């Protein structure tokens, strides 16, 4: 569909961010090479340009970082909460000051639109540090006893879809409660974590309290298995989550897992259609659908299916895919060639199994990793695309007739992270929300996040909650 | 005459049976094992449950979950309190069974049973308070109404403590069902009789069938299929030793069951008033969002 009018390109300036040609590991307050000298390159998914070369942590480096964190733990945990709070407030402030720089950096390294890093990721990152800063000197009031104790060294492994936001979700509550941290960012998006190391330096954070170890899966595995780690926090795939659960079995390590999802977005016949369409778009195309709580299964009441799909297709035709640094871009690049291959294979399976594929007319840039927004109709519950997490801009549409059928279909998955409900009827919202086996239920909205609000899954979407008062529990000896 | 006939009267033994789905089946396997008192004297033959019994119990627990988790917290509290009432009336039986099982004096066994009855009362009072204590509204930075509330995780496999055959047993069952979960309980291997008798009390306490299912037998044998079961949502490893606990925790990772690890036996004091940990371990937090429709500051009007 031709656009009504064209926007002039409005790219954000890259000049606000200065990426060094190489980065080391951040251990005990210093940037350092990997013990075995290994490095890897991080590229911009939208152009395939090499952004920087980053040290790759091995087992010896993990050991060094854990030792540094252990040493720092003694003093850090003994600090009055009010002092720890001030460090966290400092970090939050510096993130606000440097937020444009970090937003551009994140867009370059991750491929997501600047509109999202600037308006969603960075404000939430700062908000998380502010929120947990305030808890540091009030832990006795959090409902875990009068003087809950930190656990010790936290080993944290985070994914590439929200590199800096996931760092904030992990580090802010860990530090507020008096733990020290060794964090492994994802191999495709290590840069914002390394910039965060510089923020720790600016904030005057004591050495060893935060350690950053870029690397691949084996680095994460070594960190999780390290005998002197007291707490493991992981966000990522369900398969890796299960492996981690097996690794920590029989130890005293406390574990929280935020894993995959196959969120149902349920639209009833009395839903506000235009708002629902916006919610569906946000639900599955935010961050190119690379979101664990994405609303990747649209369940629409049969009587309004045609009307809704017409509106949805019309809306999808207005989405702009392209340069993530352009402020008008809605859909950016897929994070890596590997992820693009996975999405492509699953979408092909959808077609092969008989679902009907539709995408708006959409030109893909020549370089980089791109996938057009895609919608599948005629999907059944048995289809791979209705069962497996795709982690890409691919929406499967199923229909239902009664609220009971909607609930049954929504719950018919191994996952239980998120769900959406669209209806004007309040009692229906409450009744359906009550029956959904999901950790987050968005009614007449979708993909909303807030540091005060616990987030996490039922079933194979993992266990534990991040955010809010509940998020403190994962880092306290309770 | 009467004195003599009393001496001659042969007592009636009880056939101890499992408690599954509100019924009292024998083990599907047809097996039993000898249960002795602390001095090695024979007390009874208890059912030696099989994997199939464990699976049947899970089916019963799943079937009961919808109605039990959907019951009002007030109703659940009433039923838990009813269990205490029923126990109070049959106290003597449990004192005898606990004394035999654990080699306690009558006075000590009576104290244990009293504590177990009081524990039901304690948890009865929690059913309609835990939501207020661990849930609540979240002040999000936006025009949204946002509420977090705890929900039961589902079917919980419970390995009852080995040493405390009754107070320990009650201390691990009551918190699981108080919050709306249903339970498959593996009784103390050595001393299963108080647990099997508890089944009889539960059956007469308005507790819907299937909410608690009691199995007796070899803990390791029954626990393995429960830990690996795809329709079990959580497992309490209280009755597992270190080696078994690790093995079961690994099996539990297969469908990411919630795992409550065992505490070292000498660090557990079942007579102490519990905290809320045994309840929160089997709760999920659900957060529901809705727009409030407030478009900005309300100005000076109120």
């Amino acid at each position: 569909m031709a656009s009504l009018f064209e926007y002039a390109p409005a790219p954000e300036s890259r000049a606000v961010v200065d990426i060094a040609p190489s980065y080391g590991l951040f251990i005990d307050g210093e940037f350092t090479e990997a013990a075995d000298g290994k490095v890897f390159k991080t590229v911009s998914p939208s152009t395939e340009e090499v952004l920087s070369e980053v040290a790759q942590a091995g087992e010896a480096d993990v050991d060094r970082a854990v030792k540094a964190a252990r040493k720092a733990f003694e003093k850090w945990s003994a600090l009055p909460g009010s002092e720890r709070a001030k460090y966290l407030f400092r970090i939050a402030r510096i993130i606000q000051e440097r937020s444009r720089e970090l937003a551009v950096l994140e867009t370059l390294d991750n491929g997501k639109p600047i509109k999202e890093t600037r308006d969603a990721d960075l404000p939430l990152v700062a908000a998380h540090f502010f929120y947990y800063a305030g808890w540091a000197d009030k832990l006795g009031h959090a409902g875990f006893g009068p003087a809950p104790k930190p656990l010790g060294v936290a080993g944290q492994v985070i994914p590439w879809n929200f590199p800096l936001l996931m760092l904030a979700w992990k580090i802010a509550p860990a530090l507020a409660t008096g733990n020290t941290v060794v964090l492994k960012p994802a191999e495709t998006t290590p840069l914002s974590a390394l910039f965060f190391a510089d923020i720790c330096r600016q904030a005057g954070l004591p050495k060893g309290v935060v350690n950053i170890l870029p690397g691949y899966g084996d680095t994460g595995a070594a960190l999780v298995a390290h005998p002197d780690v007291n707490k493991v926090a992981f966000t990522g795939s369900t398969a890796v989550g299960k492996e981690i659960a097996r690794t920590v079995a029989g130890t005293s390590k406390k574990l929280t897992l935020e894993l995959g999802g196959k969120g149902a977005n349920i639209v009833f016949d009395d839903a506000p259609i235009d708002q629902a369409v916006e919610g569906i778009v946000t639900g599955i195309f935010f961050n190119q659908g690379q979101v664990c709580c994405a609303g990747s299964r649209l369940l629409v009441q049969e009587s309004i299916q045609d009307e809704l799909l017409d509106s949805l297709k019309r809306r999808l035709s207005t989405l702009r895919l392209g340069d993530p640094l352009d402020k008008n871009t809605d859909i950016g690049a897929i994070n890596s060639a590997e992820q693009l291959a996975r999405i492509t294979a699953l979408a092909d399976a959808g077609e092969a199994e008989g679902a009907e594929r539709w995408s708006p007319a959409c030109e893909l840039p020549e370089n980089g990793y791109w996938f057009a927004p895609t919608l599948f109709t005629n999907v059944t519950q048995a289809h791979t695309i209705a069962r497996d997490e795709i982690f890409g801009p691919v929406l499967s549409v199923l229909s239902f007739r009664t609220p009971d059928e909607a609930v049954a279909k929504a719950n018919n998955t191994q996952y239980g992270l998120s769900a959406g409900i669209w209806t004007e009827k309040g009692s229906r919202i409450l009744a359906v929300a009550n029956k959904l086996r999901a950790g987050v239920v968005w009614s007449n909205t979708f993909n909303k996040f807030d540091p005060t609000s616990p987030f996490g899954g039922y079933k194979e979407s993992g266990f534990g909650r991040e955010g809010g008062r509940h998020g403190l529990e994962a880092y306290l000896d309770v | 005459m009467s004195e003599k006939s009393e001496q001659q009267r042969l007592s009636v033994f009880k056939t101890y049976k499992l408690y599954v789905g509100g019924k009292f089946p024998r083990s599907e396997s047809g097996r039993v094992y000898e249960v002795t008192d602390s001095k090695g004297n024979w007390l009874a033959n208890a059912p030696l449950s099989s994997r199939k019994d464990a699976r049947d119990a899970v089916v019963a627990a799943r079937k009961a979950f919808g109605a039990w988790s959907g019951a009002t917290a007030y109703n659940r509290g009433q039923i838990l309190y009813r269990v205490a009432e029923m126990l109070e009336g049959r106290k003597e039986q449990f004192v005898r069974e606990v004394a035999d099982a654990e080699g306690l004096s009558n006075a000590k066994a009576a104290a244990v049973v009293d504590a177990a009855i009081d524990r039901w009362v304690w948890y009865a009072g929690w059913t309609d308070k835990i939501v207020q204590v661990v849930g609540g509204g979240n002040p999000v930075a936006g025009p949204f109404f946002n509420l977090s509330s705890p929900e039961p995780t589902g079917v919980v496999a419970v390995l009852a403590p080995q040493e405390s055959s009754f107070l320990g047993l009650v201390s691990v069952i009551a918190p699981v069902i108080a919050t709306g979960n249903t339970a498959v309980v593996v009784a103390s291997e050595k001393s299963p009789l108080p647990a099997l008798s508890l089944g009889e009390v539960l059956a007469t306490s308005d507790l819907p069938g299937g909410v608690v299912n009691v199995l007796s037998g070899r803990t390791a044998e029954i626990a393995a299929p429960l830990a690996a079961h795809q329709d079990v949502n959580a497992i309490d490893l209280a009755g597992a030793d270190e080696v078994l606990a690790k093995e079961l925790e690994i099996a539990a990772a297969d469908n990411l069951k919630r795992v409550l690890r065992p505490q070292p036996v000498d660090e557990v004091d079942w007579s102490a008033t519990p905290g809320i940990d045994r309840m929160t371990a089997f709760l999920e937090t659900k957060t529901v969002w809705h727009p409030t429709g407030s478009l900005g500051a309300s100005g000076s009007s109120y």
Side-chain angles (χ1 to χ4, degrees), chain A residues 238 241-242 245-246 248-254 257 259 423 429 433-445 448-450 452-463 465 469-470 473 478, chain B residues 62 65 133-136 138-142 144-146 148-154 230 233 242 245-246 249-251 253-259 261 276-277 280 283-291:
Chain A
T238 292
K242 289 179 181 181
R246 287 181 200 110
V248 306
T251 69
S252 60
K253 289 174 191 171
K254 195 161 177 169
L257 299 171
L259 309 175
T423 170
I429 289 171
N434 206 22
K435 287 182 197 152
L436 291 173
R437 303 281 292 162
V440 190
V441 178
W442 286 291
S443 323
N444 293 332
T445 183
K448 292 288 182 291
F449 305 94
D450 192 275
T452 66
S453 190
F455 178 95
Y458 284 43
K459 299 197 273 186
E460 294 191 22
S461 289
F463 38 77
R465 293 294 180 269
R469 184 188 70 81
H470 297 75
E473 186 178 358
V478 289
Chain B
R62 173 61 61 198
F65 178 67
V133 170
V134 304
N138 308 306
V140 299
F144 294 96
F145 161 82
N146 171 309
S148 290
S149 39
E151 291 187 344
T153 194
Q230 294 298 301
N233 302 88
E242 213 176 300
K246 180 175 179 179
E249 188 174 343
I250 290 171
D254 241 14
N255 71 334
L256 293 162
K257 286 180 186 66
R258 279 70 181 134
V259 175
R261 293 183 180 135
I276 62 171
D277 309 5
T280 54
L283 289 173
E284 305 287 350
T285 296
K286 179 187 277 177
T287 301
V288 179
W289 293 65
H290 196 279

Side-chain angles (χ1 to χ4, degrees), chain A residues 42 66 86 118 154 225 282 309 327 356 359 414:
Chain A
T42 187
V66 172
K86 285 195 276 183
R118 185 194 60 192
T282 310
L309 283 177
K327 293 162 192 169
E356 200 173 306
S359 283
Q414 72 188 102

